[in-house]
Amino acid sequence: MTSTIDEGRTTDDGTGVPRSQAYFQQAQERTAHNYHPLPVVVAHAEGAWMTDVDGTRFLDMLAGYSALNFGHGHPELLATAHAQLDQLTLTSRAFVHDRFGEFCAALGDLCGKELVLPMNTGAEAVETAIKVSRKWGYDVKGVEVDRAEIIVATGNFHGRTTTVVGFSDDPDARDGFGPFAPGFTSVPYGDAAALEAAITPNTVAVLLEPIQGEGGVVIPPTGYLRDVREITTRHNVLFAADEIQAGLGRTGRTFACDHEDVVPDLYVLGKALGGGIVPVSAVVADRAVLGVLHPGQHGSTFGGNALACAVGTKVVEMLASGEPQERSARLGLVLRDRLESLVGRGVLAVRVRGLWAGVDIDPTVGTGRAVCEALLARGVLAKDTHGSTIRLAPPLVVSEEDLHWGLDQLEAVVTGG
C-alpha cells in the first residue's frame, strides 16, 4: 500500500491552493495555541489510513496516542454506536440505564477486579485515582486527615489538570500554572530503592505508568514493576497503574503490567476504552479500595453514559478474545526488528513494546519535529516528543504490508535515502 501523496488534490476556490491550507489557517486563527499540530487537515479515516480534505492519504502511525488502538471506523464499534444512538445516549448517574451494569461487569472481569468507576477522560480517571487513594488512606490505613502523600515518578505524564501538572517535571506542562496541590513526592522512574526510601507513614499510594508514553515510550528495567508491587504490599500502600496509553492491547498484552505478571490495586484506564468514538475512562479496583466512596463524594455528569458504556462493552468484548493483543505482539516484532536495524543509521536508540515505540533520532539528522514533517511529506503521520524523539503507535489493525511501508518511509528520512 502506498500513499496517494500529491494525487487527487482539489482546491476550494480555483486558485490551485490546497484546501487543507485554508482549513489549517482558519483553525490556527480561531483556536488557543495549546497544540502545535502538523499542517494536515483530516476529513476521513478508515482502519490505519486517514485522508485529508485534498484527497491525500496518510498512514496513521500515532493512533490518537493509543485512543485508536482498533483503528478508525472499526465496523463492529461503529455498528454498536449507531445502534445505541437510536436508543439512549445520556441519563446522568442520577438514574441507572440498561447498559451500565453490563459495562462495569465486563470491564471488571477483564481486569480481575470487583468494581468499576466510569469517567470520561484520562485526566479525570487519574484525578479519581488520587481522590480514592487519599480517601482509602484516611478511612482504611488511618492516615491523619490532610496528611496523605502519593509517590510519583520523574518523567511522568498523567494529564493536564492543575493537580497533575503540579507533580510533573516537564516545564511545558508545569510552568505558569501554579500554585500546586501538596502531597506528592517524586522519585526517579525505574528506581525501586528510591521509591521505597520515599515511603513514610503518610504514604497512601504509588502512582506510576508501567511504560511512560509521553516521555518517549520509556520502559523500566526488568523486575521494576514486580519490585513496586512487593514494596507497596509490604508497606500497606496502594499501587495505582496508569495504563491509559499502555493498556488495552497496545503492548501485546491486555495491560503493560501483565509483562511482569503484576496486578496493581487500581487500574487507571482511558483512550482505547472508547474505541476512538467517545471519551471513556475508568478506575477499576476491588471493593476494599473503591468501596471507600459514598454518594455525593465524587461524580461526573457524562461518566458512564449509555453510549460510552455500549462502545466500551464492545471494546472489552474484542479484548477478551485476545486477538488484538496477539496481533500487537506479532507485529511488534516486525516493528522492533525494523527499528533496531536503523540504530547507527540516523537513529541513536529505540524502545519497543508491542506496537509502541520510542525512537531517538540522531540530532545530526534533525529534531523530532523535523523528522515528523519529513514523514508527513511522504504520507506518514507520527508525533515527536522531547527534542529528537518520535513516537510510533500504529493502530493494532494495521496490516504488516502497510507497517513495512511506513517504516520504509522512516528509514528513507533518517538515512537520507
Side-chain angles (χ1 to χ4, degrees):
M1 179 70 71
T2 60
S3 165
T4 57
I5 193 80
D6 291 328
E7 296 180 8
R9 286 189 178 275
T10 59
T11 62
D12 62 341
D13 58 5
T15 64
V17 177
R19 296 172 64 200
S20 57
Q21 184 174 323
Y23 278 86
F24 190 81
Q25 184 61 33
Q26 180 188 43
Q28 291 298 93
E29 290 176 355
R30 299 306 299 268
T31 185
H33 290 179
N34 58 318
Y35 280 89
H36 185 200
L38 292 169
V40 59
V41 181
V42 179
H44 177 75
E46 183 176 356
W49 287 85
M50 297 195 285
T51 305
D52 75 1
V53 292
D54 297 309
T56 305
R57 299 180 72 236
F58 299 88
L59 181 63
D60 182 2
M61 293 284 276
L62 183 63
Y65 305 103
S66 292
L68 288 153
N69 279 3
F70 306 100
H72 299 271
H74 191 288
E76 291 183 47
L77 294 172
L78 285 182
T80 298
H82 285 150
Q84 189 60 42
L85 280 168
D86 289 332
Q87 299 298 318
L88 179 70
T89 57
L90 177 67
T91 63
S92 88
R93 289 293 307 282
F95 315 105
V96 176
H97 59 77
D98 61 347
R99 303 307 301 264
F100 187 75
E102 175 189 28
F103 169 67
C104 292
L107 183 57
D109 289 348
L110 183 74
C111 298
K113 298 292 186 183
E114 295 173 329
L115 299 181
V116 172
L117 202 172
M119 301 298 287
N120 304 286
T121 67
E124 279 185 285
V126 171
E127 289 274 3
T128 298
I130 290 170
K131 289 179 69 175
V132 168
S133 296
R134 287 172 171 172
K135 191 72 162 54
W136 174 88
Y138 301 135
D139 292 1
V140 177
K141 188 175 181 178
V143 173
E144 184 180 345
V145 173
D146 293 338
R147 297 294 297 277
E149 299 170 359
I150 294 175
I151 296 174
V152 297
T154 56
N156 71 76
F157 181 82
H158 297 287
R160 300 286 190 183
T161 64
T162 52
T163 297
V164 170
V165 300
F167 55 79
S168 169
D169 53 14
D170 180 350
D172 287 339
R174 178 186 174 94
D175 290 357
F177 300 112
F180 300 116
F184 299 95
T185 301
S186 184
V187 299
Y189 185 65
D191 188 336
L195 186 151
E196 183 163 22
I199 293 176
T200 75
N202 293 327
T203 304
V204 299
V206 172
L207 171 64
L208 294 174
E209 299 160 272
I211 296 175
Q212 292 186 331
E214 187 73 15
V217 191
V218 178
I219 302 171
T222 300
Y224 174 67
L225 296 177
R226 287 195 297 270
D227 289 343
V228 172
R229 176 69 284 183
E230 189 278 327
I231 290 167
T232 53
T233 299
R234 178 158 43 84
H235 287 276
N236 192 27
V237 170
L238 298 178
F239 178 15
D242 179 347
E243 294 257 11
I244 292 168
Q245 286 196 54
L248 307 182
R250 172 53 57 188
T251 67
R253 303 289 294 272
T254 303
F255 304 109
C257 284
D258 292 345
H259 289 279
E260 293 199 4
D261 298 320
V262 163
V263 177
D265 297 293
L266 300 93
Y267 286 103
V268 186
L269 306 174
K271 293 196 184 295
L273 193 56
I277 297 175
V278 287
V280 184
S281 67
V283 173
V284 188
D286 284 334
R287 196 175 307 275
V289 177
L290 276 177
V292 301
L293 290 181
H294 302 291
Q297 294 181 339
H298 193 56
S300 170
T301 299
F302 280 84
N305 69 76
L307 180 60
C309 286
V311 172
T313 300
K314 177 57 69 172
V315 165
V316 172
E317 178 185 315
M318 293 164 64
L319 287 166
S321 73
E323 193 277 334
Q325 298 91 315
E326 185 279 330
R327 185 177 182 82
S328 177
R330 176 169 52 83
L331 292 179
L333 297 177
V334 174
L335 179 64
R336 183 198 65 192
D337 290 345
R338 288 293 307 273
L339 291 177
E340 288 182 347
S341 75
L342 297 178
V343 175
R345 299 193 300 134
V347 169
L348 298 180
V350 299
R351 296 166 298 281
V352 184
R353 184 61 59 85
L355 272 177
W356 205 18
V359 184
D360 296 337
I361 305 297
D362 188 329
T364 62
V365 171
T367 64
R369 173 77 183 194
V371 169
C372 289
E373 290 172 347
L375 287 171
L376 171 67
R378 301 181 71 94
V380 175
L381 297 179
K383 190 67 176 70
D384 60 295
T385 184
H386 300 300
S388 293
T389 298
I390 67 170
R391 290 163 290 175
L392 301 177
L396 308 188
V397 299
V398 68
S399 71
E400 185 170 345
E401 177 189 6
D402 288 348
L403 179 61
H404 274 294
W405 181 84
L407 294 170
D408 288 344
Q409 310 316 305
L410 177 64
E411 181 173 358
V413 168
V414 301
T415 63

